[in-house]
Amino acid sequence: MAYYQESVERMPREALRKLQSERLVAQVKRMYERVECFRKRMDEMNLRPEDIHGLEDLPRLPFSYKKDLRDYYPYGLFAEPLKSIVRVHASSGTTGKRIVVGYTATSARSITSRAPAAARTSA
């Protein structure tokens, strides 16, 4: 079997859980600092990034909705400054405002590198 990131995909369950928890904590902090919508929702719930310690806190986090993509159109949900965005995808907007998604060079490379693995698993 071919792996995309063998060291992660074959990691012992507890090590994987630790890695996922660390990444979640970092992502929540980043989103709170950079995305107004996420910060407002957390503030409404009296929740701060330092209250999130790992995967066990995932149910405490606010949801995001497709409506948010329209309400914060076009770039209000971007966690990166526009100067860091190298690729933008947008819907046609046939049901209202377009939905815009931006990618940094790192995220675009990551997605591109996973495409062959995804194609193999969907066959």
Side-chain angles (χ1 to χ4, degrees):
M1 170 182 243
Y3 294 95
Y4 168 65
Q5 288 183 318
E6 187 170 357
S7 64
V8 174
E9 293 176 50
R10 298 188 68 183
M11 183 179 285
R13 187 171 301 274
E14 282 309 309
L16 179 60
R17 188 169 179 79
K18 182 178 185 290
L19 176 65
Q20 290 171 330
S21 288
E22 289 168 358
R23 289 180 175 179
L24 175 66
V25 168
Q27 184 68 8
V28 167
K29 182 178 187 294
R30 186 167 166 262
M31 295 289 290
Y32 188 85
E33 291 170 352
R34 298 180 180 192
V35 181
E36 177 188 6
C37 175
F38 189 74
R39 183 175 45 257
K40 282 181 180 179
R41 292 232 172 93
M42 285 189 67
D43 287 347
E44 288 168 1
M45 299 169 75
N46 293 316
L47 191 60
R48 300 289 175 266
E50 53 272 10
D51 298 329
I52 304 302
H53 304 287
L55 293 177
E56 65 278 2
D57 294 316
L58 202 52
R60 300 176 63 197
L61 293 171
F63 284 98
S64 56
Y65 303 93
K66 189 170 185 175
K67 180 180 182 313
D68 297 334
L69 295 168
R70 292 188 180 101
D71 290 350
Y72 288 87
Y73 175 86
Y75 309 119
L77 295 180
F78 283 16
E80 294 294 330
L82 281 177
K83 67 182 179 185
S84 299
I85 303 300
V86 299
R87 173 176 263 165
V88 174
H89 289 178
S91 69
S92 63
T94 55
T95 60
K97 289 182 184 172
R98 291 176 176 223
I99 292 175
V100 179
V101 179
Y103 299 93
T104 63
T106 303
S107 62
R109 273 193 308 275
S110 176
I111 290 166
T112 302
S113 69
R114 278 184 265 177
R120 284 194 305 273
T121 60
S122 64

